[in-house]
């Protein structure tokens, strides 16, 4: 049987680091922090895990294949042991300029706090 050129073989499935109940408990904690004004944004995500991670380049190719989002990124700094960012998103949340400045911005749905105006703050 012929194999497809450029198609990465599927690795073992991911597992959620936290079960659904723990994730929902975290969401309630985030909502409380937002309501109390301790934060104006949260990133309610959970890590995915699996034994024996694939090489980073393979992971990125597979991610692009399974989720061809317009704002994918592969950033690798500092040699083999340096930090690595591998992401795929429908919205831009990272931007690396030619001068090497990496900017992270909140994505859609983030509302700033309105200091001193309780009604406007609650509406945000």
């Amino acid at each position: 049987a012929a194999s497809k050129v450029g198609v990465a073989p599927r690795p073992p499935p991911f597992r959620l680091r936290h079960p659904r109940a723990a994730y929902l408990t975290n969401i309630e904690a985030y909502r409380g922090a937002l309501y109390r004004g301790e934060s104006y944004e949260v990133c309610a995500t959970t890590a995915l895990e699996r034994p024996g991670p694939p090489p980073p380049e393979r992971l990125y190719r597979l991610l692009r294949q399974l989720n061809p989002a317009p704002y994918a990124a592969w950033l690798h700094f500092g040699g083999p042991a340096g930090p690595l960012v591998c992401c795929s998103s429908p919205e831009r949340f990272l931007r690396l300029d030619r001068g090497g400045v990496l900017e992270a911005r909140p994505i859609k749905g983030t509302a700033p706090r309105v200091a001193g105006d309780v009604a406007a703050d609650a509406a945000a």
Side-chain angles (χ1 to χ4, degrees):
S3 64
K4 293 182 181 179
V5 174
V7 175
R10 287 195 179 259
F14 284 102
R15 294 182 326 260
L16 291 171
R17 177 177 290 172
H18 303 290
R20 180 176 169 78
Y23 180 75
L24 294 175
T25 298
N26 289 342
I27 294 292
E28 287 306 311
Y30 302 151
R31 291 178 69 191
L34 291 166
Y35 181 78
R36 290 186 302 276
E38 296 170 7
S39 179
Y40 69 92
E41 71 175 314
V42 296
C43 183
T45 62
T46 188
L48 297 172
E49 300 175 330
R50 75 166 145 210
E57 297 86 357
R58 180 174 164 214
L59 174 63
Y60 182 68
R61 282 195 318 271
L62 184 62
L63 181 62
R64 290 298 304 247
Q65 182 182 344
L66 296 175
N67 185 34
Y71 294 105
W74 168 262
L75 305 172
H76 194 178
F77 305 96
L84 176 70
V85 174
C86 175
C87 65
S88 179
S89 176
E91 301 176 53
R92 184 175 72 195
F93 64 97
L94 289 176
R95 180 175 182 264
L96 181 65
D97 70 17
R98 291 178 189 253
V101 175
L102 182 63
E103 176 185 40
R105 290 187 171 220
I107 60 174
K108 183 171 55 176
T110 303
R113 300 299 307 246
V114 182
D117 186 339
V118 176
D121 190 42

